[in-house]
């Protein structure tokens, strides 16, 4: 009783059979994906694919992840994108139409496509779904798992009504083995596959494969419906010994450090050091055959490649062939990551010697600023110290320690500074040299290639900076790497200092202020040239003034003449041997140390003083307070600036803040040029007013209006604009503080000596890595020009388009000051790819060049053939083996076969004569011991028919078998259809 009353005494186990299993969930998930991708129903209205559309068309792909329990699969949909016809009503009404996949099994328009998914090549289908194991999942090897997956897709296709074939990848992925199924109304196609390592001997020919096909379809009809056969044999050519590689030999004098002319340093090397074409694949095709027309068994074969009606060729490129330009750029780019200074690279001993000499230079600079020097200034000049340092460096550096020998270094410097070979004593020759740098520029600006530097922010292709980049790159590649670059840079900076000290223009730089569109190094060199130009102009003016004083001294009374002689003599005693250019801040040149009394007297007599620094009258305008004409004064030119100085100045101005004091100080700093121009204007126009200055300097700020005077006449009256009348206006304040001082007596706005020393110091402290980063835009500019030049010779449309795209990409990469070096490395790899493409074209043109005496039509046809080989994956040979291209291909194979028949030593001796022997040989000669073609590397045989299956009264359905026979692979890919209604 107790047991009966206890409710927990009995346990009931209930099994819920309505709960879905993992397998059912997987099937349901596959159906959901098919619905999401809209692969439900019949798509029979799509047009039949045109010939070659599988290769030229665009293929789409979609992928999703699905799970079978804890096992991950990828389900992918591959399809050929086609434009559907609008009028599909008739086709859609045919419910019993075959699925598209079955129609594609018999289509002959796209046999053996060169670029397609392997299932497209084997089965000729344009749309399919593949389920494959996940990335880290094991392969589906066991038969039970394979059958489970095939059952899953079969149920999914039946439930969803999809007519798209679905495959499951089984076995290891590298084997590319698939099994699948396609369902339609009353029909089904099973996709099966066999994959072996060796070809069974009984199936190593067409007759054996036909036996397999017939036995598989099991057709009992007599006579058997005809079987359509398509055959393709592929022959591979790898031996190019009979053809010389069309690469220019290197300059061995350059490589071995011999005497080199300067021209070599201006040319970048180009081309591959090895054959860029590794293999040529010849595919001979018999597209439409039937059983009985051709014989191919274990005893005899009619399949002679020369008799094949269809030839097509593809080429395989060598992987990463060594190319000269690419290696040059890569090695130069590696220097960007180097952090060592020139002293660390060239050796500590050299650095110590330079340190001693630099201390002498610094002492020379300190003594230059002391006017009471007791040592002769000529012995302490910077130029003298630099040249003594140069001699000391070369004296203490042994010849074997120098990265660059003297001959190469002199050749490089002569290439960089060609004016060094010309006599520089004549001033006219200097002026002509300076003009020649900027002359011819207008003509070159017409060419877009010359203006390429504007896009890349590099330097003009005829500039010193551009030539320096070429030299540094070639020196790094051929003459000692980073040590040679450091040595070259050291000598380059010494040459610049010599030119600054001796007033010699720097060759290869356009005149004017620094061009901010160029790289920073080019701007620095232009700045140094500006300093030299200002210094020379100042010295010329100084000499003219000295000559006028000398003439005045000759006609002046004896007392004043004696006083002048005494004053000048005292100056010369202080500085014996001092030249004009060594006194950059001479006290005679600038009158900033005038006494206050002198300034007051000068201002009092300003209206009566003699006008100085007049350039020309200004548009017949007179001063407002007098009848004197208004003269345009000689003003100081604004100080040229490089982009780093502009950025530094903007940062300083920004740090002043927005307070009243900061704003006022900022305005004063920015009005230095305005103050100088006001002083020059006062000197040129004694008795002038601010209104006069504004009329010339800023006409918009002087407002003129017509008015009627007391007598009734119309007169024009003017006044300053409202902006100029604001209290505390900077223009008014500057006018009141401006003194009557001509431009030649003012403090210089641009201190050329200071700026030149800053530039030289900036250049001297640059490390080889810094120099490489400065020159990288120029060397990429040169590489693009070289690629354009070489491409124009070969005329490759795809490479031309790629170069244009690369130019735009380089513009984005090189304009920022801080370069993205990862992207630049990828860009260099892109340039290497273009070089390889051009070299490949050159190699093919050399191999397919027409023979002597060839027709013009043949030459044109060969050029089109080579061009197509570069652009397309596979090219049809017009005329097959009998056409001009086919004849050359035949000769290439025959020569390679002839060479293969000899030992390597005999081949090397007989290779030059072999081509003539082959020409005399008849192609059809069966008595030749060595065949013209090797054994085919791959054989592909495609069998198709349409027979009722499985019973004689079933529908006639398409059957297909694709066979691949290679040395280490045997594959059968079959698609066998059966009638599920009448079986």
């Amino acid at each position: 009783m107790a047991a009966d009353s206890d409710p927990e005494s009995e346990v009931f186990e209930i099994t819920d059979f309505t709960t879905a299993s993992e397998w059912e969930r997987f099937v349901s998930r596959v159906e959901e994906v098919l619905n999401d991708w809209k692969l439900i129903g019949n798509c029979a209205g799509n047009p039949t694919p045109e010939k070659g559309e599988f290769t030229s068309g665009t293929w789409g792909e979609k992928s999703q992840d699905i799970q079978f329990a804890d096992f991950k699969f990828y389900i992918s949909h591959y399809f050929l994108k086609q434009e559907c016809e609008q009028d599909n009503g008739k086709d859609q009404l045919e419910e019993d139409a075959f699925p598209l996949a079955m129609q594609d099994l018999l289509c002959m328009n796209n046999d053996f496509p060169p670029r397609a998914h392997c299932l497209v090549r084997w089965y000729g289908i344009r749309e399919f779904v593949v389920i494959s194991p996940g990335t880290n999942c094991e392969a589906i090897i066991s038969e039970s798992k394979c059958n489970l997956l095939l059952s899953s897709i079969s149920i999914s296709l039946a439930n969803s009504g999809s007519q798209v074939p679905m495959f499951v990848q089984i076995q290891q992925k590298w084997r590319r083995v698939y099994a699948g199924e396609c369902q339609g109304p009353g029909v089904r196609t099973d996709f099966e596959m066999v994959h072996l390592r060796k070809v069974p001997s009984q199936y190593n020919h067409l007759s054996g494969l036909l036996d397999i096909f017939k036995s598989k379809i099991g057709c009992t009809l007599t006579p058997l419906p005809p079987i359509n056969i398509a055959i393709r044999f592929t022959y591979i050519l790898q031996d190019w010994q009979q053809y010389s590689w069309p690469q220019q030999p290197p300059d061995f004098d350059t490589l071995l450090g011999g005497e080199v002319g300067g021209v070599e340093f201006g040319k970048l090397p180009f081309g591959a050091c090895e054959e860029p074409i590794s293999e040529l694949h010849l595919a001979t095709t018999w597209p439409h055959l039937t059983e009985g027309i051709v014989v191919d068994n274990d005893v005899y074969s009619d399949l002679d490649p020369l008799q094949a009606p269809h030839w097509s060729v593809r080429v395989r490129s060598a992987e990463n062939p060594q190319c000269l330009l690419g290696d040059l750029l890569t090695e130069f780019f590696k220097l960007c990551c180097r952090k060592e200074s020139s002293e660390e690279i060239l050796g500590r001993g050299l650095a110590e010697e330079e340190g001693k000499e630099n201390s002498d230079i610094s002492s020379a600079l300190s003594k230059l600023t002391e006017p009471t020097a007791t040592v002769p200034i000529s012995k302490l000049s910077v130029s003298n110290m630099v040249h003594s340092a140069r001699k000391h460096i070369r004296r203490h550096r042994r010849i074997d320690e120098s990265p660059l020998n003297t001959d190469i270094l002199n050749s490089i410097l002569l290439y960089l500074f060609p004016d060094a070979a010309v006599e520089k004593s004549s001033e006219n020759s200097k002026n002509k040299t300076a003009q020649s740098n900027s002359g011819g520029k207008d003509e070159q600006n017409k060419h877009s290639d010359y203006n390429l530097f504007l896009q890349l922010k590099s330097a003009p292709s005829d500039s010193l900076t551009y030539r320096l980049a070429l030299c540094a790159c070639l020196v790094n590649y051929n003459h000692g790497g980073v040590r040679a670059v450091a040595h070259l840079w050291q000598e380059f900076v010494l040459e610049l200092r010599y030119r600054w000290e001796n007033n010699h223009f720097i060759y290869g730089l356009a005149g004017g202020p620094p061009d901010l569109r160029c790289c920073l190094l080019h701007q620095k060199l232009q700045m140094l040239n500006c300093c030299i130009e200002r210094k020379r102009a100042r010295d010329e003016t100084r000499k003219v003034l000295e000559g006028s004083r000398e003439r005045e001294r000759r006609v002046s009374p004896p007392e004043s003449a004696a006083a002048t002689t005494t004053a000048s003599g005292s100056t010369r005693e202080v500085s014996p041997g001092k030249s004009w250019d060594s006194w950059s801040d001479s006290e005679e040149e600038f009158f900033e140390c005038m006494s206050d009394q002198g300034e007051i007297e000068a201002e009092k007599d300003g209206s009566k003083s003699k006008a100085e620094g007049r350039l020309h009258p200004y548009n017949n305008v007179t001063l407002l307070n007098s009848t004197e004409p208004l003269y345009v004064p000689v003003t100081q030119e604004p100080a040229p600036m490089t982009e780093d100085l502009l950025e530094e100045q903007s940062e300083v101005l920004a740090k002043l803040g927005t307070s009243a004091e900061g704003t006022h100080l900022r305005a004063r700093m920015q009005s230095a040029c305005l103050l100088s121009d006001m002083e020059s204007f006062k000197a040129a126009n004694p008795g002038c007013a601010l209104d006069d200055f504004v009329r010339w300097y800023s006409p918009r700020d002087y407002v003129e209006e017509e008015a009627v005077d007391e007598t009734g006449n119309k007169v024009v009256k003017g006044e300053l604009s409202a902006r100029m009348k604001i209290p505390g206006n900077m223009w008014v304040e500057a006018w009141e503080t401006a003194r009557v001082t001509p431009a030649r007596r003012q403090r210089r706005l641009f201190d050329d000596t200071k700026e030149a020393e800053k530039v030289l110091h900036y250049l001297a402290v640059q490390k080889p890595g810094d120099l490489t980063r400065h020159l990288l835009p120029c060397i990429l500019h040169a590489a693009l020009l070289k690629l354009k030049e070489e491409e124009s010779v070969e005329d490759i449309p795809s490479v031309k388009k790629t170069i244009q795209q690369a130019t735009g990409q380089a513009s984005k990469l090189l304009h920022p000051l801080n370069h993205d070096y990862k992207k630049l490395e990828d860009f260099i790899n892109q340039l290497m790819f273009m070089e390889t493409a051009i070299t490949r074209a050159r190699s093919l043109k050399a191999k397919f060049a027409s023979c002597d005496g060839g027709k013009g039509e043949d030459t044109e046809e060969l050029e089109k053939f080579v061009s197509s080989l570069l652009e397309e994956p596979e090219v049809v040979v017009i005329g097959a083996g009998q056409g001009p291209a086919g004849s050359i291909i035949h000769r290439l194979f025959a020569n390679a076969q002839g060479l293969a028949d000899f030992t390597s030593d005999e081949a090397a001796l007989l290779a030059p004569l072999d081509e003539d022997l082959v020409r005399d040989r008849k192609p059809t000669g069966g008595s030749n011991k060595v065949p013209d073609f090797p054994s085919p590397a791959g054989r592909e045989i495609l069998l198709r028919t349409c027979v009722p299956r499985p019973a004689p009264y079933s529908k006639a359905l398409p059957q297909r078998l694709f066979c691949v026979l290679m040395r280490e692979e045997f594959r059968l890919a079959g698609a066998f259809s059966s009638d599920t209604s009448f079986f």
Side-chain angles (χ1 to χ4, degrees):
M1 292 294 293
D4 293 336
S5 61
D6 186 4
E8 296 181 359
S9 60
E10 296 181 4
V11 178
F12 295 94
E13 293 184 2
I14 301 174
T15 304
D16 185 4
F17 291 98
T18 62
T19 304
S21 64
E22 294 291 347
W23 177 59
E24 290 172 317
R25 291 193 185 97
F26 176 72
V27 173
S28 176
R29 181 63 183 139
V30 173
E31 293 177 20
E32 289 178 9
V33 173
L34 293 178
N35 275 287
D36 292 343
W37 289 344
K38 300 180 180 179
L39 301 180
I40 309 303
N42 189 6
C43 301
N46 287 0
T48 302
E50 297 179 0
K51 189 174 183 64
E53 190 174 358
F54 283 6
T55 303
S56 60
T58 303
W59 286 86
E61 179 181 355
K62 301 176 186 175
S63 293
Q64 281 191 21
D65 298 343
I66 55 175
Q67 296 283 134
F68 192 136
D70 57 350
F71 198 93
K72 184 179 179 180
F73 286 96
Y74 291 129
I75 180 168
S76 303
H77 177 216
Y78 300 89
F79 55 96
L80 178 66
K81 296 180 179 179
Q82 291 180 293
E83 295 182 2
C84 297
E85 295 180 355
Q86 297 296 326
D87 188 11
N88 296 334
K90 295 181 180 179
D91 294 330
Q92 290 178 352
L93 292 175
E94 298 178 6
E95 296 181 358
D96 295 336
F98 288 162
L100 281 179
M102 288 191 181
Q103 300 175 31
D104 291 342
L105 293 177
L106 298 178
C107 181
M108 300 181 184
N109 290 339
N110 290 281
D111 294 342
F112 314 111
R115 275 186 190 166
H117 192 281
C118 58
L119 292 175
V120 177
R121 187 175 183 87
W122 296 335
Y123 296 117
I125 51 181
R126 72 185 92 166
E127 185 176 20
F128 55 95
V129 176
V130 178
I131 298 177
S132 56
T135 306
N136 298 320
C137 299
E138 60 184 8
I140 309 299
I141 299 177
S142 68
E143 187 176 356
S144 61
K145 290 182 179 179
C146 294
N147 290 334
L148 183 62
L149 287 173
L150 285 173
S151 300
S152 302
I153 65 173
S154 181
I155 295 173
S156 300
L157 290 173
N159 292 342
S160 63
S162 174
Q163 297 185 7
V164 176
M166 185 175 290
F167 295 86
V168 176
Q169 185 171 13
I170 58 179
Q171 304 298 327
Q172 293 84 357
K173 287 188 176 182
W174 63 268
R175 296 184 66 178
R176 297 190 300 173
V177 177
Y178 298 85
E181 184 177 320
C182 176
Q183 294 185 8
V187 293
R188 185 185 72 228
T189 300
D190 294 311
F191 297 93
E192 305 171 5
M193 199 168 292
V194 175
H195 185 236
L196 304 175
R197 281 191 176 276
K198 297 294 182 181
V199 180
S201 58
Q202 65 269 31
Y203 305 126
N204 197 21
H205 40 72
L206 176 61
S207 59
L209 297 173
L210 281 170
D211 292 340
I212 293 181
F213 187 54
K214 292 176 183 178
S215 64
K216 183 64 180 176
I217 60 179
C219 183
T220 58
L221 295 179
T222 53
L224 186 70
I227 297 176
N228 183 274
I229 304 172
I231 301 176
R232 168 173 286 206
F233 285 2
T234 301
Y235 301 88
I236 298 179
L237 176 64
Q238 296 175 315
D239 189 0
W240 306 105
Q241 294 182 18
Q242 71 274 14
Y243 275 83
S244 60
W245 163 228
Q247 173 65 35
Q248 294 295 328
D251 187 345
F252 290 103
D253 288 338
T254 303
L255 297 177
L256 300 177
E259 183 176 353
V260 186
V263 180
E264 282 76 8
F265 287 101
K267 295 181 179 179
L268 289 178
F270 188 88
C273 298
E274 55 186 305
E275 175 59 62
I277 304 295
S278 61
E279 295 177 349
L280 182 143
H281 292 199
L282 169 65
T284 59
T285 307
W286 292 262
H288 303 293
L289 297 175
T290 55
E291 186 180 4
I293 290 182
V294 63
V295 177
D296 181 44
N297 52 37
D298 55 352
V299 178
Y300 176 78
S301 177
D302 287 334
L303 301 176
D304 181 6
L306 287 175
Q307 305 302 321
H310 187 279
W311 276 22
S312 58
V313 174
R314 68 167 67 190
V315 292
R316 284 188 60 184
S317 303
E319 293 185 4
N320 301 321
Q322 182 185 2
C323 292
L324 297 176
L325 181 61
D327 286 356
L328 193 82
L329 296 176
T330 303
E331 292 300 320
F332 191 70
F333 182 73
K334 289 178 181 177
L335 295 185
C336 293
C337 303
R338 300 294 292 264
K339 304 295 183 183
E340 306 95 325
S341 64
S342 297
E343 290 76 10
E344 293 171 339
I345 292 171
L346 295 176
R348 292 291 181 185
L350 178 59
E352 292 174 1
E353 295 294 340
E354 290 180 347
K356 294 178 182 178
E357 298 296 339
N358 287 337
S359 65
D360 295 339
I361 295 173
S362 61
S363 63
L365 287 173
S366 63
K367 292 176 182 179
L368 276 172
T369 59
E370 299 173 5
T372 57
T374 56
V375 183
I377 296 297
S378 59
K379 295 183 180 180
L380 293 176
S381 66
V382 178
S383 176
N384 186 58
M385 288 297 140
V386 169
H387 285 84
S388 65
R390 187 196 291 250
K391 294 177 182 177
H392 202 63
I393 289 170
R394 291 175 176 171
R395 184 169 63 249
H396 286 269
R397 183 192 293 167
R398 294 198 300 265
I399 296 176
D400 56 347
E401 291 179 351
S402 298
L404 292 172
N405 64 44
T406 306
D407 293 336
I408 292 179
L409 181 60
N410 289 338
S411 298
I412 295 174
L413 292 176
L414 188 61
Y415 170 68
L416 293 174
F417 304 100
D419 59 330
V422 183
E423 184 65 35
K424 293 180 285 187
S425 59
S426 172
E427 295 296 331
N428 294 331
S429 66
K430 293 183 209 173
N431 294 334
K432 289 178 181 178
T433 304
Q435 293 171 2
S436 64
N437 297 334
S438 57
K441 183 176 179 181
D442 296 334
E443 298 178 1
Q444 290 177 319
N445 276 338
K446 298 176 183 178
H447 301 88
S448 60
D449 287 351
Y450 181 81
N451 291 328
L452 183 61
F453 76 93
L454 300 177
Q455 301 180 46
L456 304 182
K457 198 174 175 61
S458 60
S461 55
D462 59 351
S463 65
L464 173 64
T465 315
Y466 185 90
R467 294 198 303 271
L468 175 64
L470 295 179
C471 290
C473 196
L474 292 167
V475 159
N476 173 65
Y477 189 66
N478 290 328
H479 299 289
V482 66
R483 296 185 73 246
V485 173
H487 186 189
L488 172 62
W489 180 241
Q490 186 183 71
E491 295 289 339
F492 182 81
V493 175
L494 288 175
E495 177 68 23
L496 293 182
R497 179 170 285 281
Y498 172 81
R499 286 173 175 264
W500 157 247
E501 291 296 329
N502 291 274
N503 280 7
H504 296 315
F505 281 120
I506 301 174
Y507 182 87
L509 298 175
D515 189 348
L516 301 182
R517 302 172 299 176
C518 299
C519 63
L520 182 58
L521 181 61
H522 188 75
Q523 295 177 39
K524 292 291 183 183
L525 296 179
Q526 284 185 306
M527 174 68 86
L528 187 57
N529 228 18
C530 286
C531 296
I532 296 173
E533 182 180 0
R534 297 285 180 92
K535 185 179 173 186
R536 286 175 57 137
R538 190 174 68 255
D539 290 346
E540 290 292 336
T541 306
R542 196 63 171 280
K543 290 176 182 177
V544 171
L545 290 175
E546 180 67 15
S548 63
R549 289 177 185 173
E550 188 70 27
R551 288 192 295 272
E552 289 176 2
R553 189 165 53 244
R554 290 175 183 173
V555 299
S556 63
E559 294 84 1
S560 60
T564 306
T565 306
T566 305
S568 60
S570 62
T571 304
R572 292 192 181 93
E573 287 176 2
V574 174
S575 56
K578 180 107 168 104
S579 62
W580 288 115
D581 54 0
S582 59
W583 281 116
S584 60
D585 290 321
S586 171
E587 294 175 2
E588 286 186 339
E589 184 179 355
F590 301 104
F591 292 86
E592 295 135 7
C593 300
M594 292 172 61
S595 65
D596 295 339
Q597 182 66 25
E599 292 180 9
I600 295 171
E601 292 177 359
E603 290 178 0
K604 288 181 179 178
D605 298 337
S607 59
K608 300 179 181 179
S609 61
K610 181 181 178 182
E612 292 184 78
R614 288 178 170 177
L615 193 60
H616 58 78
Y618 177 66
N619 296 338
N620 299 323
V621 178
T622 59
L623 298 177
L624 296 175
N625 298 332
S626 68
T627 58
E628 289 291 325
L630 188 151
Y631 283 89
V632 175
V634 176
T635 58
Q636 293 194 61
E637 294 183 14
M641 303 189 78
T642 57
E643 63 182 17
D644 59 334
L645 295 179
L646 286 172
E647 185 177 359
E648 181 181 341
Q649 185 186 61
S650 63
E651 290 178 359
V652 170
L653 295 175
K655 288 179 181 178
L656 294 176
T658 57
S659 63
E661 183 180 357
T663 305
H664 185 73
L665 184 57
R666 186 186 302 110
R668 286 184 61 87
M669 292 176 63
Q670 292 176 322
S671 63
C673 185
L674 175 66
L675 182 63
S676 171
D677 292 342
M678 284 182 173
E679 292 183 344
S680 301
F681 189 84
K682 283 186 175 183
N685 298 280
C688 61
L690 176 60
D691 295 34
D692 295 314
F693 178 76
V694 171
R695 284 197 298 162
W696 164 66
Y697 205 80
S698 180
R700 291 184 180 180
D701 285 311
Y702 189 78
V703 182
E704 293 183 339
E705 294 181 353
E706 288 187 357
V708 180
D709 59 2
E710 299 174 353
T711 59
N713 297 325
K714 290 184 178 180
V715 294
V716 178
K717 289 187 177 181
E719 60 178 355
L720 295 177
S721 65
R723 182 172 76 96
M724 290 293 176
K725 295 178 180 180
I726 297 175
N729 183 276
M730 181 54 63
W731 286 54
V732 178
E733 183 180 335
W735 181 261
E736 292 174 353
T737 58
R739 298 177 299 178
V740 181
T741 311
R744 66 181 181 82
R745 297 175 58 193
Q746 296 173 8
R747 176 183 291 275
R748 283 179 290 166
L749 294 176
F750 177 63
D751 189 343
D752 50 69
T753 305
K754 178 182 176 183
E755 294 299 327
E757 290 298 334
K758 284 171 63 176
V759 170
L760 291 170
H761 174 72
Y762 176 87
L763 298 178
V765 299
Q766 295 297 301
K767 301 175 182 178
D770 300 329
L771 174 65
T772 305
R773 287 189 283 272
H774 281 303
L775 295 177
L776 193 59
C778 295
I779 205 64
L780 293 180
H781 176 193
L784 284 171
L785 289 181
K786 186 68 175 178
L787 287 169
K788 280 189 174 184
E789 175 189 347
E790 298 292 337
E791 187 278 328
S792 63
V793 176
E794 306 301 337
D795 191 17
I796 312 169
S798 61
V799 176
K800 180 180 295 185
K801 183 179 179 181
T802 309
I803 292 175
Q804 293 174 353
Q805 295 173 348
T807 303
Q809 183 183 356
S811 177
K812 297 177 182 178
L813 290 176
L814 296 175
H815 265 280
L817 290 177
N818 298 321
H819 298 150
D820 188 336
Y821 290 100
K822 175 59 180 172
K823 291 183 179 179
L824 282 174
E825 185 177 6
D826 296 339
F827 179 74
I828 290 176
N829 292 333
Q830 187 179 351
L831 297 183
M832 294 169 64
F833 175 79
M834 287 186 273
E835 181 187 16
T836 305
I838 296 173
T839 311
R840 193 183 306 129
R842 192 164 291 166
S843 174
L844 288 173
K845 286 186 177 181
K847 292 172 179 56
F848 287 93
S850 60
C851 304
D852 295 338
K855 298 180 181 178
E857 297 178 357
D858 293 348
T859 304
E860 184 178 351
E861 184 177 325
L862 287 173
E863 289 177 356
K864 290 182 180 178
F865 175 74
V866 171
S867 177
S868 300
L869 269 181
L870 298 169
E871 306 289 338
E872 302 172 12
E874 191 170 281
V875 180
V876 175
V877 181
I878 299 177
Q882 310 303 321
S887 301
I888 294 177
I889 294 170
H890 178 206
R891 186 167 68 247
L892 287 171
F893 275 98
N895 289 346
Q897 284 292 101
L899 288 172
D901 193 47
F902 297 106
T903 63
S904 58
D905 293 336
E906 291 173 334
L909 293 172
L910 298 177
L913 302 176
D914 192 64
E915 184 176 348
D916 297 332
L917 295 175
V918 174
R919 285 180 183 174
D920 297 336
R921 185 186 304 165
K922 295 182 179 180
T924 58
S927 61
N928 291 334
K929 182 179 180 181
V930 180
D932 288 352
F933 288 89
S935 300
R939 290 173 290 166
E940 296 170 290
I941 299 176
L942 177 56
L943 308 176
R944 279 175 294 220
T945 189
C946 193
V947 297
R949 187 173 179 267
Y953 49 81
S954 302
K955 286 183 181 179
L957 300 174
Q959 320 292 330
R960 176 184 175 115
L961 179 66
F962 192 93
C963 315
V964 179
L965 292 79
M966 300 176 68
R967 181 172 297 178
E968 295 185 354
E969 182 179 3
F970 175 72
R971 185 185 301 273
L972 299 178
F976 303 103
S977 306
S978 56
D979 190 342
T980 58
S981 299
F982 300 97
F983 52 90

